Amino acid sequence: MLPIKSLDDEQFEEITLRARNLIKKYYPQWTDYNLHDPGITFIELFAWLKEIQQYHLDQISLKSRKKFLKLLGFAPQTKKPANSLVRIFQVGDDLELLLGTRFRAGQICFESLQHEFITKSKIAGGFFLSTTGFKSNFSSYLSAGGKMQFYIFGLEPEVGGAFYLAVDRAFPPGKIINLYFDVYDDYEVKRNAPGPDFVPLAELYWEYYSCDGWQPLEVIKDDTHQFIQTGRISFTFQKEMDFASLPEEGYWLRAALKISNYEVAPILNGVYLNALPVIQKETYSTYQDFLWEEGILDHNGDRNFIWDTELACWGRSEVYMQIGEEEGHKLWSLVENFTKKSSNGLTVFSVPDATVSVKGELSIRLLAYEDHFSIARTAGEGDGYPYQSFEIMAENILAENFQIMVEEESGFVQWDRVNDFDLSIPESRHYMLDEESGKLFFGDCEQGLAPEGKIIIISCSSSLGLDGNVNEGRINSFAQRFVDAEVINDMVASGGMDSEATDQAFLRLRRELGRIERAITYDDYEKLVKATPGLMIQNCRAIPVSKNTRRDGSRDENAVSVVVQPFTGDKVRGLNQAYKENIYRQLNDRHLIGTKVNVLSPEYVGINIFAEILVKPYYQDARDRIEKSVSAFLGGAGWGFGQPVQYSAIYGIIDTLDCVLGIHSLVVDAIGKGITRSINGDVILPPNGMAYLNEADYVITAGE
């Protein structure tokens, strides 16, 4: 370790004394060293200044600490807005909610994340139909209100089983419909969030009932990952739905189970229409780019661009046309002769086709901003000098949604936001944004170009960060326009965070550095397997090479065997193919080159117990006490793979109960592969063995 040099190594008294001792050497005529002497006063003054300088030289500045973070690949996080889910109900008629539709929680603004179709339809009923004809419906739960406990595919999901869902009126074809499924997840073992490479545990085939019978349903997105977690399923179809009685009346959808590798049967707590995600922010200005050829040419010779954002409907608008490119940056020119009109909730921008002289891959930029942001959107006028800074006339700026353009001689150019100018060259169009102060900073012409021209904010939003985490039921109104519907958030808004301080970033760095990303030790393998995306891992153990020998006694030194027990509840389950595939994907890119990984399913060993027990006569519940104690011992969460079942341990558990006088006989037997018996009657399990109580027979005799 490098030595730590202390620069603050002298106190005020030491500095003063050393300076006074030098007087005789440099000026012997000075003989009065008392405090009243003006020279002594100056010595003490400069000694005080030196002590202050030493202190500051010995400190690590905030700027330096940020540089240290950057060297480690980290930077303080910017403000994060809160997220929630709102449910729209009592809908008067079908309607379109555009991107950025605003909702209110008191004075706090939330916005929708995408264009949403809101339907007047309601859930009318549904049922599960098994391959054997067994049917279970949840219509009674809907009428009773509250959360249901409905097994979507029955207690034991089987291929061929189907889940049916009815609505009271048909969905219009061509629209994207969203159904929100609240799936039960309150298990003792929590499911890891599925990742992008997650292998689904099941495969569903969705259909809807039309005039031509059952037709395939186009599923656009399934956030539930085939009903293993709460989320939305988005779908659309092209033909009209038809009314049917199956046996309940309604317009029907169904999901048939084609592949089933569920470790637990999915349970439905509730299903809702018109539930949409929202984010806590208020957009002052936003834009969207289109290719010129994407515009629809009409009979008037205009290119029409449809923009489905709420701010474009009621805010002010501008249109920019790309006129070229310079050093990797697009050049934009302001278009004056455009028209804007709203139709069916969408905003159509019409630009004369003659505006563009050179067709092809050029873009057009549509920009919308609030009326009250008209002045604030001009951040300032650059003068070309270094170290320019401008204060934004808006509060609670959200850095992740902030963008600017600068008017230069050749046109408007969008500049790039950076955390610092360390990598900037004189030609870099870079700027920094300080969220806390709301200031823009530009370079010194050596590291970062200095702007010369008008600076326009093209994208800007505000967010309260941590203060946006409101409770359930607080988001209860539309903000911008009257909508014949009601709105509520059934879950708290969460995830909102303020800008991260440097000290907090260092703490996060320590946590991140402690994360296991590579499998080196056996403990690494176990932690990585338990973190496999989308799975519920109850138990896991990497078997040491010394205990994983071949039949001839040899060992494979380059192989690591990991035995994994999925969450089973009260059932005995091994690993299915989907589980193994997900675990292999988790480990493949993380283990050492040349290491072979074997994922093993548990070898379940059933323990059979027969005992003749003498109990105290006044314990009427003696049998229940004995059964619960033995079951808790063999079914405990701490039972490990390969852990032997000791005869003496079971004997002691029974014998030490308050209700037991003595044990006449005890037999412990086992059923399974690879087991052996010790001389003491213990059951020795294989390395991947897992014991469970298969059968217990107790002959209870009351003593005197």
Side-chain angles (χ1 to χ4, degrees):
M1 182 180 293
L2 294 174
I4 300 176
K5 179 66 176 176
S6 175
L7 301 177
D8 188 14
D9 56 354
E10 284 186 299
Q11 301 297 319
F12 172 79
E13 291 79 7
E14 297 175 299
I15 301 171
T16 304
L17 180 60
R18 187 160 59 85
R20 286 173 59 182
N21 291 337
L22 291 174
I23 294 175
K24 294 178 181 180
K25 177 180 178 181
Y26 292 104
Y27 197 70
Q29 295 87 345
W30 187 350
T31 57
D32 189 357
Y33 302 154
N34 294 310
L35 296 178
H36 67 267
D37 186 85
I40 298 299
T41 302
F42 276 107
I43 286 177
E44 291 183 336
L45 174 62
F46 287 111
W48 175 71
L49 290 172
K50 183 177 186 296
E51 185 185 36
I52 291 176
Q53 288 178 331
Q54 288 179 170
Y55 171 79
H56 287 287
L57 285 172
D58 203 44
Q59 304 305 306
I60 299 175
S61 67
L62 180 61
K63 183 178 180 180
S64 296
R65 289 170 63 82
K66 289 183 178 180
K67 298 299 182 187
F68 296 153
L69 277 175
K70 184 179 179 181
L71 286 172
L72 294 168
F74 266 67
Q77 292 181 339
T78 57
K79 185 189 303 178
K80 301 296 180 185
N83 293 272
S84 187
L85 191 92
V86 299
R87 181 169 53 87
I88 299 174
F89 58 102
Q90 301 296 338
V91 181
D93 200 0
D94 293 348
L95 59 108
E96 303 278 349
L97 289 187
L98 303 181
L99 166 68
T101 298
R102 294 183 178 180
F103 305 90
R104 291 285 180 186
Q107 297 301 314
I108 301 176
C109 179
F110 285 78
E111 293 182 353
S112 62
L113 292 174
Q114 63 189 45
H115 185 174
E116 300 272 355
F117 173 73
I118 304 301
T119 177
K120 185 181 178 181
S121 304
K122 297 178 181 178
I123 304 294
F127 60 87
F128 156 68
L129 184 65
S130 71
T131 55
T132 60
F134 171 77
K135 186 169 69 173
S136 172
N137 69 71
F138 63 77
S139 302
S140 58
Y141 293 101
L142 292 173
S143 60
K147 287 192 173 183
M148 62 180 79
Q149 290 284 308
F150 178 77
Y151 285 87
I152 300 175
F153 297 112
L155 290 170
E156 291 291 340
E158 295 180 351
V159 173
F163 169 66
Y164 289 74
L165 186 68
V167 292
D168 62 349
R169 58 193 293 269
F171 297 131
K175 295 293 185 181
I176 297 178
I177 309 298
N178 295 289
L179 278 169
Y180 181 79
F181 292 90
D182 182 2
V183 179
Y184 179 82
D185 64 352
D186 192 18
Y187 298 103
E188 58 187 76
V189 176
K190 296 301 179 183
R191 185 183 301 279
N192 300 319
D197 296 329
F198 175 63
V199 178
L201 301 183
E203 183 179 341
L204 307 180
Y205 183 69
W206 282 90
E207 295 177 304
Y208 70 100
Y209 193 78
S210 72
C211 56
D212 296 326
W214 289 102
Q215 297 293 319
L217 192 66
E218 182 185 351
V219 177
I220 300 171
K221 188 178 181 181
D222 183 0
D223 293 330
T224 71
H225 294 274
Q226 288 73 42
F227 295 128
I228 66 170
Q229 66 177 16
T230 296
R232 295 203 309 172
I233 298 179
S234 305
F235 56 86
T236 187
F237 45 85
Q238 301 305 320
K239 293 185 177 181
E240 294 279 352
M241 299 182 74
D242 197 13
F243 185 83
S245 298
L246 297 175
E248 300 174 22
E249 296 181 342
Y251 297 84
W252 290 89
L253 312 171
R254 73 178 178 187
L257 195 56
K258 293 181 65 178
I259 298 176
S260 176
N261 284 313
Y262 291 121
E263 70 282 268
V264 291
I267 303 174
L268 191 63
N269 284 335
V271 55
Y272 310 100
L273 282 163
N274 306 329
L276 58 143
V278 294
I279 187 171
Q280 194 281 299
K281 69 174 183 178
E282 186 171 1
T283 301
Y284 301 143
S285 180
T286 186
Y287 70 92
Q288 185 169 337
D289 293 344
F290 299 84
L291 289 176
W292 178 254
E293 297 300 328
E294 291 177 345
I296 302 172
L297 188 63
D298 62 18
H299 64 279
N300 296 321
D302 293 339
R303 290 276 177 177
N304 295 316
F305 299 90
I306 301 174
W307 195 11
D308 58 347
T309 182
E310 181 80 3
L311 189 55
C313 287
W314 50 265
R316 294 192 179 188
S317 301
E318 289 180 347
V319 175
Y320 292 85
M321 179 68 63
Q322 184 187 351
I323 56 176
E325 192 168 318
E326 183 179 290
E327 297 179 358
H329 288 78
K330 293 180 179 180
L331 298 176
W332 302 92
S333 175
L334 186 63
V335 177
E336 299 289 349
N337 55 337
F338 74 92
T339 57
K340 182 182 80 170
K341 60 182 179 180
S342 295
S343 175
N344 296 324
L346 301 176
T347 306
V348 180
F349 289 77
S350 299
V351 183
D353 193 57
T355 302
V356 178
S357 58
V358 181
K359 307 293 193 299
E361 295 298 321
L362 295 183
S363 301
I364 187 169
R365 171 167 290 180
L366 308 182
L367 188 146
Y369 57 93
E370 285 193 349
D371 184 67
H372 72 77
F373 194 64
S374 299
I375 298 176
R377 66 188 292 262
T378 302
E381 185 87 18
D383 55 15
Y385 287 99
Y387 299 114
Q388 296 180 53
S389 65
F390 301 91
E391 187 169 354
I392 303 168
M393 291 185 292
E395 297 180 345
N396 303 315
I397 297 298
L398 189 61
E400 64 182 31
N401 289 146
F402 191 88
Q403 296 287 344
I404 65 170
M405 284 199 308
V406 177
E407 186 178 17
E408 302 179 5
E409 291 184 1
S410 52
F412 288 90
V413 180
Q414 183 171 333
W415 286 39
D416 302 321
R417 182 171 61 88
V418 294
N419 293 325
D420 55 52
F421 298 114
D422 289 352
L423 300 179
S424 303
I425 60 176
E427 295 79 19
S428 298
R429 291 179 170 90
H430 291 168
Y431 69 93
M432 291 173 55
L433 172 67
D434 185 349
E435 273 188 333
E436 296 299 320
S437 63
K439 285 187 177 181
L440 286 175
F441 298 93
F442 294 90
D444 59 359
C445 298
E446 292 185 359
Q447 289 184 300
L449 187 65
E452 188 171 5
K454 187 164 63 173
I455 302 167
I456 298 176
I457 301 172
I458 59 173
S459 179
C460 183
S461 303
S462 71
S463 177
L464 298 178
L466 187 64
D467 291 338
N469 296 330
V470 301
N471 290 330
E472 64 271 15
R474 296 294 305 278
I475 308 174
N476 50 26
S477 64
F478 290 87
Q480 289 300 130
R481 57 192 174 103
F482 171 75
V483 177
D484 187 13
E486 297 183 28
V487 60
I488 198 71
N489 64 312
D490 294 320
M491 62 176 64
V492 298
S494 60
M497 297 188 301
D498 295 333
S499 301
E500 189 176 44
T502 305
D503 289 342
Q504 293 173 327
F506 272 100
L507 292 175
R508 180 168 58 88
L509 170 62
R510 289 178 179 273
R511 292 194 298 269
E512 292 294 323
L513 291 177
R515 290 178 56 189
I516 304 298
E517 295 291 344
R518 293 290 181 269
I520 308 297
T521 67
Y522 291 136
D523 186 58
D524 295 341
Y525 277 95
E526 293 172 2
K527 288 181 178 178
L528 284 171
V529 169
K530 288 179 180 178
T532 303
L535 304 188
M536 302 169 70
I537 306 296
Q538 181 161 335
N539 210 341
C540 171
R541 183 190 178 194
I543 302 175
V545 174
S546 60
K547 294 186 178 181
N548 192 23
T549 58
R550 300 188 180 98
R551 291 185 177 180
D552 60 1
S554 62
R555 303 171 182 173
D556 190 347
E557 300 291 344
N558 292 328
V560 175
S561 297
V562 185
V563 55
V564 183
Q565 180 187 15
F567 176 70
T568 60
D570 295 329
K571 299 179 177 63
V572 176
R573 298 182 190 272
L575 292 177
N576 55 50
Q577 189 59 38
Y579 253 70
K580 287 186 177 181
E581 182 64 25
N582 279 297
I583 294 170
Y584 277 122
R585 289 192 179 192
Q586 172 79 342
L587 296 177
N588 277 345
D589 296 333
R590 292 176 169 86
H591 64 74
L592 294 175
I593 296 175
T595 302
K596 293 180 292 185
V597 178
N598 299 316
V599 177
L600 306 178
S601 190
E603 180 61 50
Y604 290 100
V605 176
I607 303 299
N608 298 326
I609 297 175
F610 174 78
E612 295 180 348
I613 306 168
L614 185 66
V615 301
K616 298 175 182 177
Y618 45 83
Y619 279 92
Q620 301 297 321
D621 59 345
R623 181 181 295 277
D624 289 339
R625 292 189 179 207
I626 295 169
E627 290 177 349
K628 288 180 180 179
S629 297
V630 176
S631 296
F633 173 68
L634 288 173
W639 196 274
F641 290 104
Q643 181 178 338
V645 180
Q646 296 178 325
Y647 179 92
S648 59
I650 296 177
Y651 191 101
I653 286 171
I654 299 173
D655 191 47
T656 55
L657 291 174
D658 293 340
C659 60
V660 174
L661 285 172
I663 301 175
H664 290 309
S665 66
L666 174 65
V667 177
V668 178
D669 201 1
I671 302 173
K673 296 180 181 179
I675 59 174
T676 57
R677 303 296 294 264
S678 72
I679 194 172
N680 298 323
D682 301 337
V683 179
I684 310 301
L685 276 61
N688 64 327
M690 174 63 67
Y692 71 97
L693 184 61
N694 179 58
E695 185 180 352
D697 185 12
Y698 305 107
V699 177
I700 306 297
T701 304
E704 296 180 359

